[in-house]
C-alpha cells in the first residue's frame, strides 16, 4: 500500500505545496509597494513631414520627429523582488478619425544592478512617429508620458504611469527637406 513511488509522490506534492506557499508569502512582502516615480519630460525640437505611405488605402501620411529631454530617478523602484523595469515613452493624441491614438516612441530595459537614473538630453525617438493620415500637422494636444512594467521574481506584473507628462504642439506647416 505504501510503495516507494507513493511515498515519493507524497513528498513531491508536499514540497510543491510548501514552495507555492513560500512564493505567495514572498509576493505579499512587496505587493503593496508604490511603484510611482517623478518624471521630467521636455522637448527641444518638434517637426512634421508629409511622406508617402506605402499602404494601399492612403497616399500620404504624417511623420513626426521629436527630440526630447527626460530625467528620472528610478532606483527607489528596485527591491529584492524586482528583476527589471521595462520603460516605454508614449505619445497620446486625438484626431478626427480616432478618439485615442497611442504611439510608442522610445523604450528601454533596466535590469537590477544597472544604473536606474535617466538623464537624456536631446534624445531622438527610437521608433517612427507615424500617423496614418494627417493627424499630426497642427495638432496642439499630443501628450508624452513615460510608463513602465515592473518585472518581479514572484507576483503580478504591474503597469505604472510615471508622475509627469509633457504636452507638445506640432507645427501648422510641414517641414521641407531633411529633419
Amino acid at each position: 500500500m505504501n510503495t516507494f513511488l507513493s511515498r515519493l509522490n507524497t513528498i513531491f506534492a508536499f514540497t510543491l505545496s510548501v514552495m507555492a506557499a513560500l512564493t505567495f508569502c514572498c509576493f505579499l512582502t512587496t505587493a503593496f509597494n508604490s511603484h510611482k516615480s517623478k518624471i521630467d519630460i521636455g522637448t527641444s525640437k518638434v517637426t512634421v513631414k508629409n511622406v508617402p505611405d506605402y499602404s494601399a488605402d492612403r497616399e500620404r501620411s504624417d511623420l513626426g520627429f521629436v527630440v526630447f529631454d527626460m530625467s528620472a530617478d528610478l532606483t527607489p523602484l528596485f527591491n529584492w523582488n524586482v528583476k527589471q523595469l521595462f520603460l516605454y515613452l508614449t505619445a497620446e493624441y486625438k484626431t478626427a478619425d480616432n478618439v485615442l491614438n497611442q504611439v510608442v516612441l522610445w523604450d528601454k530595459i533596466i535590469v537590477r544592478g544597472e544604473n536606474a537614473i535617466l538623464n537624456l538630453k536631446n534624445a531622438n525617438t527610437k521608433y517612427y512617429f507615424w500617423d496614418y493620415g494627417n493627424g499630426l500637422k497642427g495638432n496642439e494636444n499630443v501628450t508624452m508620458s513615460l510608463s513602465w512594467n515592473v518585472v518581479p521574481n514572484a507576483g503580478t506584473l504591474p503597469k505604472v504611469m510615471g508622475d509627469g507628462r509633457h504636452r507638445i504642439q506640432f507645427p501648422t506647416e510641414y517641414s521641407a527637406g531633411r529633419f
Side-chain angles (χ1 to χ4, degrees):
M1 187 144 123
N2 287 331
T3 66
F4 174 73
L5 290 177
S6 172
R7 292 179 184 190
L8 188 65
N9 185 32
T10 303
I11 291 171
F12 178 72
F14 177 73
T15 304
L16 193 62
S17 299
V18 169
M19 293 300 288
L22 287 174
T23 303
F24 183 72
C25 289
C26 289
F27 156 69
L28 283 180
T29 62
T30 59
F32 303 106
N33 288 357
S34 174
H35 300 291
K36 289 281 194 178
S37 186
K38 176 100 174 86
I39 309 296
D40 292 320
I41 303 172
T43 53
S44 57
K45 182 179 180 183
V46 178
T47 57
V48 65
K49 281 186 83 169
N50 193 260
V51 295
D53 187 5
Y54 299 104
S55 64
D57 58 341
R58 299 194 190 270
E59 293 181 14
R60 297 185 76 77
S61 294
D62 284 355
L63 176 62
F65 184 74
V66 178
V67 177
F68 65 95
D69 301 327
M70 182 169 43
S71 63
D73 183 9
L74 303 176
T75 51
L77 300 178
F78 282 93
N79 56 45
W80 71 269
N81 194 26
V82 176
K83 277 197 265 186
Q84 67 184 22
L85 295 175
F86 175 70
L87 311 170
Y88 51 98
L89 180 69
T90 57
E92 294 183 0
Y93 60 101
K94 182 179 180 180
T95 60
D97 294 338
N98 299 310
V99 175
L100 178 64
N101 296 285
Q102 292 179 319
V103 179
V104 175
L105 301 175
W106 176 87
D107 65 4
K108 180 179 176 77
I109 295 174
I110 300 177
V111 181
R112 180 180 25 202
E114 287 183 0
N115 185 11
I117 298 174
L118 297 176
N119 193 12
L120 302 173
K121 299 286 183 202
N122 294 325
N124 292 319
T125 59
K126 193 173 180 181
Y127 305 108
Y128 289 118
F129 192 168
W130 280 101
D131 179 72
Y132 294 105
N134 299 67
L136 292 181
K137 177 183 166 188
N139 195 327
E140 297 179 355
N141 196 15
V142 178
T143 305
M144 293 174 52
S145 60
L146 183 71
S147 301
W148 53 84
N149 289 98
V150 179
V151 181
N153 292 312
T156 60
L157 182 74
K159 176 187 173 200
V160 181
M161 185 176 286
D163 290 334
R165 289 162 188 61
H166 179 69
R167 198 163 102 188
I168 58 176
Q169 298 178 356
F170 276 93
T172 57
E173 297 296 323
Y174 290 118
S175 171
R178 299 194 73 169
F179 290 108

